[in-house]
Amino acid sequence: MERYFNVADIFGENVFNDTVMQERLPKKTYQKLKQTISEGKELDLETADVIAHEMKEWAIEKGATHYTHWFQPLTGITAEKHDSFISAPLPSGKVLMSFSGKELIKGEPDASSFPSGGLRATFEARGYTAWDPTSPAFVRQDAAGATLCIPTAFCSYTGEALDQKTPLLRSMEILSEQAVRLLRLFGNTTSQRVTPSVGAEQEYFLIDREMYLARKDLMYTGRTLFGAMPPKGQEMDDHYFGSIPERIEAYMRDVNIELWKLGVSSKTQHNEVAPAQHELAPIYAQCNVAVDHNQIIMETLRKVANRHGLQCLLHEKPFSGVNGSGKHNNWSLVTDDGINLFEPGKSPHENIQFLLVLCLVLKAVDRHADLLRESASDVGNDQRLGGNEAPPVIISVYLGEQLEDVLTQLISTGTATKSKKGEKLATGVKTLPDFRKDATDRNRTSPFAFTGNKFEFRMPGSQDSVGEPNVVLNTIMAEALSEACDELEKAKDFDSAVHDMIKKLATEHQRIVFNGNGYGEEWIAEAEKRGLPSINSLVEAIPALTTDATVSMFEKFGVFSKVELESRAEIEYEQYIKSINIEARTMIDMASKQIIPAVISYATELGLSIGTIADACPEADVSTQKELLVKVSNYLREAKDALITLKETNEKAYTMKASSCEKANFYHSDVVKAMEDLRRPVDALEMIVDKEAWPMPSYGDMIFEV
């Protein structure tokens, strides 16, 4: 790629997008496919054969030799099996390149080899992948060649969802159906669909790959399990939006080129708060496409990093003591003719449809706060949430001064008569242009914030799929819309019924609105008074998946069955158990084979030096060396005792005969504590032992030497 180029010339060049389909598909075939995409109509095999042929020809022109059904099982990453386009050899010894409609529409991976939470046993291996025509196929080009990737859903032989995409597509359909019902009540007869629009901001760390390979904890778990803070962290606020180092800029450029070719609208890039931390944000896309794009972004960040001698860390908390990484999920609802249901307009108090939709969001979030919290929970996020660097663990909604004022008017008088306006920005500098401020400030401590014409859910972790949070948002909103429509459709006086409903909703769910400091201790006490759930960890959050309210809602709208929800809860317990077990075993390995031997060697050298000095110069004062040796020996003893305790505790957890829930809770309460008890003396030793004797790169090495 030339140093300077026009982005428009390469954007989407490796995507089988609408432009390519119009150029290559017969008009009748193209129209049938568009009907499938826009109306959900079934695609006949004859039409699929034509699409598959043209898709194959296009992919081969891009250098593709293989195709894969690209899907998102419940592992947190994508999965793929590559098949070449070649068919059986001809008598002449040559081969034909073929790709049928059946191969496009359906694949058959081994369902028993992916997490299923008991839905699939080892002897029940059959599973299916099904083409999602609403998310365009793409050709991925890398050192291994080029592969046609076909976004697909993944389900079991008996139809249960085993992935992120299937329930997401279900939730999008039901949300559209209920939102259109509401639009019809307000006299809108033109909008046919309402689609959730999503933009997922991706945070990540970059460190030198050689240092990464020298840290077993990073290699095995994605985060550092030991590590003392360097003299400087992020307290100077000089990294956020700071000048991007040339090495990182070169990396970001290559990431952007890869993403633009794949039709991912990478828009914003900057340094984040912590040293070595960065962010990439794309432009909004249709929900399922945005979820696919976020997976592509994470894969691309990792892949391109290796080319630059870097390692991309997507764990939520790779380094203790500095900010972790999240993934802000910007969510809005937009009709097929461009109407944003979250757009308040210039006078929100007069926008009755907006006020009703806003109050329905409050109802949905308030009613299902525990479920929304669970959707953003994972092992890594336990290290990040509630740490005064990310949203607190308590779900609340930030509306800003303008909308909170409107809400207060509705609650107190039943009618809102005015909206606060943005004032002129006074900078005190004549040469700066005048412009009006927004009507409200931003609140970075809120987990669920209204930001003008969308809601920003800030809890999801950086390495997670945003599929689950959006399934929850779509479905809880569909439920709220459905209940509102059921009532309003029976009303004799629609205007009065809407007015009464807005006031009732605003009054009943005002407890979920909080515009203050989410990091303050006083908010914890206030939230408890309001009766809002405070869920501190993944293991505490998982039960929200199988409550009566959750099961009833998901089954009513056909998004999940009770069996599917129970299986997902089981998977999350199992993943927690396995993750903490790996972390504990990694700590044991590092402490036993690297850290304790290194400290013993250092202590031995220190002891020998004391004797050598005393022999050479009996009158010399060696009290400092002796004090140091005593300190090292005491911490070494503490570390050794903690290591023994961790071994015993982890072994007890691993061999425990109990349910997954009980086992996960034991890992959370006992094993995690034993890990913390081992880390404490080891980190203290790192601050004492000679840097040359320490067996791994330090925090300072990793986050400041990139």
Side-chain angles (χ1 to χ4, degrees):
M1 176 67 67
E2 295 180 6
R3 185 176 181 185
Y4 303 108
F5 60 93
N6 188 335
V7 175
D9 292 339
I10 65 168
F11 189 83
E13 69 176 33
N14 288 340
V15 183
F16 196 72
N17 53 30
D18 191 68
T19 301
V20 176
M21 289 191 290
Q22 284 193 65
E23 290 174 354
R24 304 190 74 112
L25 297 178
K27 188 174 182 180
K28 186 178 179 182
T29 302
Y30 172 76
Q31 290 172 342
K32 282 187 176 181
L33 178 57
K34 292 298 287 184
Q35 284 183 325
T36 297
I37 294 171
S38 61
E39 301 172 23
K41 289 188 176 180
E42 190 172 339
L43 195 67
D44 62 88
L45 195 56
E46 182 181 347
T47 302
D49 279 332
V50 177
I51 297 167
H53 174 77
E54 291 302 327
M55 192 182 287
K56 176 207 69 177
E57 292 297 307
W58 169 81
I60 290 173
E61 290 171 13
K62 298 288 180 183
T65 56
H66 291 70
Y67 70 92
T68 181
H69 276 199
W70 185 78
F71 60 103
Q72 300 170 39
L74 301 175
T75 56
I77 57 176
T78 58
E80 52 197 64
K81 179 188 72 171
H82 296 191
D83 289 295
S84 72
F85 289 120
I86 66 170
S87 58
L90 299 170
S92 64
K94 298 284 187 178
V95 294
L96 294 176
M97 305 289 271
S98 67
F99 182 51
S100 69
K102 183 179 179 181
E103 290 170 318
L104 168 63
I105 290 172
K106 186 182 80 171
E108 191 176 321
D110 183 349
S112 67
S113 297
F114 293 100
S116 70
L119 289 177
R120 297 270 82 191
T122 305
F123 66 91
E124 297 172 318
R126 194 181 295 277
Y128 296 112
T129 50
W131 176 38
D132 172 15
T134 63
S135 185
F138 57 93
V139 168
R140 186 181 58 214
Q141 297 169 329
D142 52 33
T147 304
L148 172 63
C149 298
I150 303 160
T152 54
F154 177 43
C155 62
S156 73
Y157 179 68
T158 47
E160 293 92 357
L162 297 176
D163 66 343
Q164 301 287 0
K165 183 181 281 282
T166 302
L168 183 65
L169 294 173
R170 293 171 181 170
S171 72
M172 290 172 64
E173 287 183 9
I174 196 67
L175 175 58
S176 177
E177 181 183 316
Q178 300 306 320
V180 169
R181 280 180 70 193
L182 187 74
L183 291 176
R184 294 290 181 266
L185 288 169
F186 277 92
N188 181 328
T189 59
T190 55
S191 300
Q192 300 301 313
R193 289 185 66 82
V194 174
T195 302
S197 178
V198 169
E201 304 167 21
Q202 180 68 54
E203 295 176 342
Y204 60 96
F205 279 81
L206 287 173
I207 65 170
D208 191 272
R209 183 160 172 79
E210 288 187 8
M211 293 188 188
Y212 166 82
L213 294 173
R215 296 274 316 205
K216 289 184 180 180
D217 46 6
L218 284 175
M219 289 175 63
Y220 295 149
T221 73
R223 74 178 181 107
T224 53
L225 301 171
F226 300 106
M229 276 296 293
K232 177 185 177 184
Q234 63 189 43
E235 62 270 28
M236 295 301 293
D237 301 322
D238 55 350
H239 192 258
Y240 188 61
F241 277 27
S243 178
I244 301 172
E246 190 170 325
R247 183 183 184 189
I248 305 304
E249 274 200 304
Y251 162 79
M252 289 178 170
R253 177 183 186 273
D254 286 353
V255 166
N256 284 330
I257 290 170
E258 294 266 343
L259 293 177
W260 289 332
K261 286 182 177 180
L262 294 173
V264 179
S265 52
S266 175
K267 174 74 172 176
T268 303
Q269 60 191 34
H270 61 83
N271 290 346
E272 258 297 337
V273 173
Q277 188 186 32
H278 312 278
E279 180 179 298
L280 182 156
I283 296 173
Y284 301 91
Q286 179 177 302
C287 187
N288 62 311
V289 175
V291 172
D292 286 354
H293 280 182
N294 184 249
Q295 290 290 343
I296 292 172
I297 287 170
M298 290 192 288
E299 290 177 6
T300 304
L301 288 171
R302 290 191 189 101
K303 180 176 66 175
V304 176
N306 291 348
R307 296 181 200 159
H308 288 258
L310 298 166
Q311 184 69 35
C312 176
L313 305 177
L314 293 175
H315 193 283
E316 287 77 14
K317 194 72 172 178
F319 303 104
S320 179
V322 296
N323 278 11
S325 296
K327 184 159 7 199
H328 296 178
N329 186 88
N330 296 279
W331 176 73
S332 58
L333 303 180
V334 183
T335 68
D336 55 341
D337 49 358
I339 301 170
N340 184 347
L341 302 192
F342 294 159
E343 177 57 63
K346 294 182 179 180
S347 304
H349 67 284
E350 297 174 340
N351 190 338
I352 303 303
Q353 179 180 295
F354 166 74
L355 290 176
L356 178 57
V357 171
L358 175 69
C359 289
L360 291 175
V361 172
L362 298 182
K363 175 183 179 178
V365 174
D366 187 20
R367 178 188 282 180
H368 295 288
D370 58 342
L371 182 62
L372 193 57
R373 167 69 175 91
E374 197 285 331
S375 75
S377 301
D378 74 8
V379 185
N381 232 8
D382 279 2
Q383 309 291 327
R384 169 180 166 260
L385 294 178
N388 292 349
E389 62 172 81
V393 296
I394 302 164
I395 292 282
S396 64
V397 179
Y398 171 79
L399 294 180
E401 294 176 11
Q402 184 188 55
L403 292 184
E404 187 178 40
D405 178 59
V406 171
L407 209 66
T408 300
Q409 293 177 59
L410 289 169
I411 293 168
S412 59
T413 68
T415 305
T417 58
K418 65 182 188 307
S419 299
K420 289 185 176 181
K421 304 293 183 182
E423 300 173 352
K424 183 178 177 181
L425 180 70
T427 64
V429 181
K430 292 181 180 179
T431 55
L432 292 179
D434 292 334
F435 57 86
R436 299 194 71 80
K437 297 189 295 183
D438 290 312
T440 189
D441 202 348
R442 285 189 175 226
N443 186 332
R444 304 304 295 179
T445 71
S446 174
F448 197 79
F450 185 74
T451 55
N453 60 3
K454 58 184 171 60
F455 283 92
E456 185 177 10
F457 185 32
R458 296 177 177 142
M459 273 189 166
S462 52
Q463 64 183 334
D464 274 356
S465 165
V466 287
E468 185 178 353
N470 285 295
V471 169
V472 171
L473 286 171
N474 294 344
T475 310
I476 65 176
M477 190 62 191
E479 180 189 51
L481 287 163
S482 174
E483 292 174 353
C485 291
D486 288 346
E487 185 176 333
L488 292 174
E489 285 168 351
K490 299 172 185 175
K492 293 180 180 179
D493 184 342
F494 177 75
D495 291 341
S496 296
V498 170
H499 175 273
D500 293 344
M501 179 177 286
I502 290 173
K503 181 181 179 182
K504 181 172 182 285
L505 290 170
T507 303
E508 290 179 352
H509 301 288
Q510 62 179 313
R511 68 171 187 166
I512 200 69
V513 178
F514 179 65
N515 283 358
N517 178 14
Y519 294 167
E521 289 293 324
E522 61 274 11
W523 168 230
I524 298 174
E526 172 63 23
E528 187 176 358
K529 286 182 185 177
R530 297 187 186 190
L532 300 178
S534 179
I535 301 171
N536 293 303
S537 67
L538 170 60
V539 293
E540 294 175 56
I542 294 172
L545 280 173
T546 52
T547 63
D548 290 343
T550 297
V551 173
S552 174
M553 175 188 66
F554 279 128
E555 287 198 325
K556 174 183 177 181
F557 294 109
V559 176
F560 285 119
S561 67
K562 183 178 181 181
V563 171
E564 287 174 322
L565 288 167
E566 290 172 342
S567 75
R568 287 177 187 242
E570 182 69 16
I571 288 169
E572 292 196 12
Y573 281 128
E574 289 175 356
Q575 288 177 336
Y576 185 86
I577 291 165
K578 292 173 181 176
S579 296
I580 300 299
N581 179 50
I582 290 170
E583 289 188 355
R585 289 167 60 187
T586 301
M587 289 189 85
I588 292 167
D589 184 87
M590 292 174 71
S592 301
K593 298 178 182 178
Q594 292 180 286
I595 296 167
I596 289 178
V599 174
I600 290 173
S601 296
Y602 174 75
T604 301
E605 286 186 24
L606 193 58
L608 290 173
S609 72
I610 293 171
T612 301
I613 293 170
D615 290 343
C617 185
E619 64 273 18
D621 183 2
V622 291
S623 60
T624 300
Q625 293 93 318
K626 287 182 177 179
E627 288 175 10
L628 194 57
L629 182 57
V630 169
K631 202 171 186 180
V632 169
S633 297
N634 287 341
Y635 278 130
L636 184 60
R637 177 73 264 169
E638 186 181 342
K640 180 61 176 176
D641 290 344
L643 175 60
I644 292 170
T645 300
L646 178 56
K647 284 181 177 179
E648 293 172 348
T649 307
N650 195 55
E651 181 63 22
K652 180 180 177 181
Y654 188 73
T655 57
M656 181 183 290
K657 303 297 182 185
S659 68
S660 295
C661 174
E662 293 169 323
K663 206 167 182 177
N665 274 282
F666 183 81
Y667 268 99
H668 176 62
S669 61
D670 290 53
V671 177
V672 169
K673 181 182 181 302
M675 291 166 61
E676 292 168 351
D677 289 344
L678 175 56
R679 177 169 186 161
R680 197 161 38 249
V682 169
D683 286 358
L685 284 166
E686 185 181 353
M687 298 300 293
I688 301 170
V689 173
D690 186 341
K691 179 175 173 57
E692 297 303 316
W694 198 250
M696 63 196 70
S698 68
Y699 271 27
D701 297 333
M702 290 185 286
I703 64 177
F704 286 108
E705 296 183 15
V706 186

